[in-house]
Amino acid sequence: MRKKMTVFIAVVIVLDIIALGVIFFTRGDSRPDISADARPGADPSTTQQQELFSRVSFVAVGDNLIHDTVYEQAAARVSNGYDFSYDYKNVADRIKTPDVAILNQETIISTEHNVSSYPMFNSPVEVGEEMLKIGFDVFNIATNHSLDCGEKGLISAINFWKSKNAITTGAYLNQADYDNIPMNEVNGVKIAYIGFTESTNGLSLPQDSEVILVRASDETLLQTRIMKAKEAADFVVVNAHWGEEYTHEPNQNQRDLAAKLASWGADVIIGTHPHVIQPVEYITNSDGRKTLVAYSLGNFISAQNRGPRMLGGMLNFEIVKNNTTGKVEIENVKFSGVVTHYGYGCSNIRLYMLSDYTEELASKHGVKSKTSDFSLQYLNDILNKVIDKQFL
């Protein structure tokens, strides 16, 4: 009996020791379990936030306007073909960094025609290749110069971009191509892209053409397209080629159409064509949703010869999707100046961020022959007068 009692006591003691050990080690590490998906050492609350929200960063710029001076200088840099890297190298990092980069390709790129300049443009394929190289993803090709090489030229341009697997807006080979709204998915967010032009400089497609070039005047088509895109995507970006050239103030037609685009479902409207910058603002829709509008981003690059046209805009913003509610909001909107710089006789055309531009460069700008008061202060004065400080 004593032996059994001794064994029983020993078992109880062992169980007590085990229990104390469990309590000790549990108290020694009170952290919650981290899932296998979390980064080792990561804060679990941060991981949870990343799962609740998806974020996509954007950059958009204005008119890639390739005058003969631009492509002739590119041709002089190589023995065969064109090298445009010099023109864009100072801003290339700003294009590569965001998740999505959007460009208005002002001049057509047709492989079926010789290169040409104003007033009937056709640019070398190397322009498009350089844009892809520095990081652009989405190209608006609905502009007033879309038909500079006729129907054949526009078909060639569309096929050029398709061969590069680029996303284009505004011009389509046929109804089937048009019905397939350009869209991509980035970081779990579906984004749709729509483009149109207000003018084609009086040119038109043949009546029997299958090609579709979206026009601002066809509001019913635009409404249907935007609403369809809104049903299929989380976020809708509209490229609007509109307005009056060389004026910093959007006209009433732009404002009226912007309000309609916003009400139909556009989340961001990126304006181009005036060749100078115009204001950025929010439109508040009847349902409380806000639409960001940049009425004109001016020129990205050009060989134009007046001071205001040397200042373009770079629009950065982020969209944040709540993965629980599906709601998408715009955050961190920033408008930055981009300067087209060249020397005497329009030599050595290249781009600079306004933040990197200097008074010394401005004092040597070839545009001073037409705009004598051109300076760094001149550029900053335009920027601060046109763009609301909340976006700077």
Side-chain angles (χ1 to χ4, degrees), residues 92-141:
D93 286 347
R94 298 288 293 267
I95 305 303
K96 286 190 175 91
T97 303
D99 296 313
V100 179
I102 303 171
L103 172 73
N104 181 66
Q105 183 53 49
E106 181 76 18
T107 52
I108 197 169
I109 300 176
S110 169
T111 60
E112 303 293 323
H113 296 78
N114 294 327
V115 297
S116 56
S117 186
Y118 181 84
M120 308 291 279
F121 289 95
N122 184 45
S123 299
V125 296
E126 287 88 345
V127 170
E129 290 168 350
E130 185 65 25
M131 295 304 94
L132 291 163
K133 180 180 177 182
I134 66 176
F136 284 106
D137 308 285
V138 181
F139 301 84
N140 180 59
I141 57 173

Side-chain angles (χ1 to χ4, degrees), residues 280-316:
V280 179
E281 66 182 24
Y282 285 107
I283 294 175
T284 301
N285 298 283
S286 59
D287 60 359
R289 182 177 52 85
K290 286 189 174 182
T291 298
L292 178 68
V293 185
Y295 286 99
S296 174
L297 295 181
N299 289 327
F300 187 41
I301 201 169
S302 78
Q304 293 191 320
N305 60 0
R306 294 293 188 276
R309 306 175 206 176
M310 299 300 101
L311 180 64
M314 180 177 289
L315 184 70
N316 287 86

Side-chain angles (χ1 to χ4, degrees), residues 66-78 81-82 84 117 124:
I66 311 301
H67 289 99
D68 49 6
T69 311
V70 178
Y71 64 70
E72 286 168 1
Q73 290 176 18
R77 297 185 190 115
V78 289
Y82 302 84
F84 290 94
S117 186

Side-chain angles (χ1 to χ4, degrees), residues 171-318:
Y172 308 91
L173 293 174
N174 48 44
Q175 187 65 45
D177 190 26
Y178 173 80
D179 288 341
N180 186 23
I181 295 176
M183 197 177 304
N184 64 354
E185 184 170 330
V186 183
N187 301 337
V189 182
K190 292 182 179 179
I191 308 156
Y193 305 94
I194 291 171
F196 67 84
T197 182
E198 189 174 58
S199 167
T200 55
N201 294 343
L203 302 173
S204 59
L205 290 163
Q207 287 188 349
D208 61 349
S209 176
E210 291 187 346
V211 176
I212 296 174
L213 179 62
V214 183
R215 301 291 301 272
S217 57
D218 197 341
E219 292 189 5
T220 301
L221 180 150
L222 276 172
Q223 180 180 4
T224 301
R225 190 161 181 78
I226 291 172
M227 293 177 73
K228 182 180 177 182
K230 193 66 175 178
E231 290 178 359
D234 298 307
F235 195 81
V236 178
V237 177
V238 175
N239 292 290
H241 203 68
W242 59 4
E244 297 175 26
E245 292 184 323
Y246 316 128
T247 174
H248 291 293
E249 183 63 30
N251 61 33
Q252 195 58 47
N253 287 338
Q254 284 172 275
R255 292 190 178 278
D256 290 346
L257 184 52
K260 292 176 184 178
L261 296 170
S263 69
W264 297 333
D267 294 295
V268 169
I269 302 169
I270 299 169
T272 54
H273 175 64
H275 302 302
V276 295
I277 62 172
Q278 292 183 345
V280 179
E281 66 182 24
Y282 285 107
I283 294 175
T284 301
N285 298 283
S286 59
D287 60 359
R289 182 177 52 85
K290 286 189 174 182
T291 298
L292 178 68
V293 185
Y295 286 99
S296 174
L297 295 181
N299 289 327
F300 187 41
I301 201 169
S302 78
Q304 293 191 320
N305 60 0
R306 294 293 188 276
R309 306 175 206 176
M310 299 300 101
L311 180 64
M314 180 177 289
L315 184 70
N316 287 86
F317 61 94
E318 293 181 323

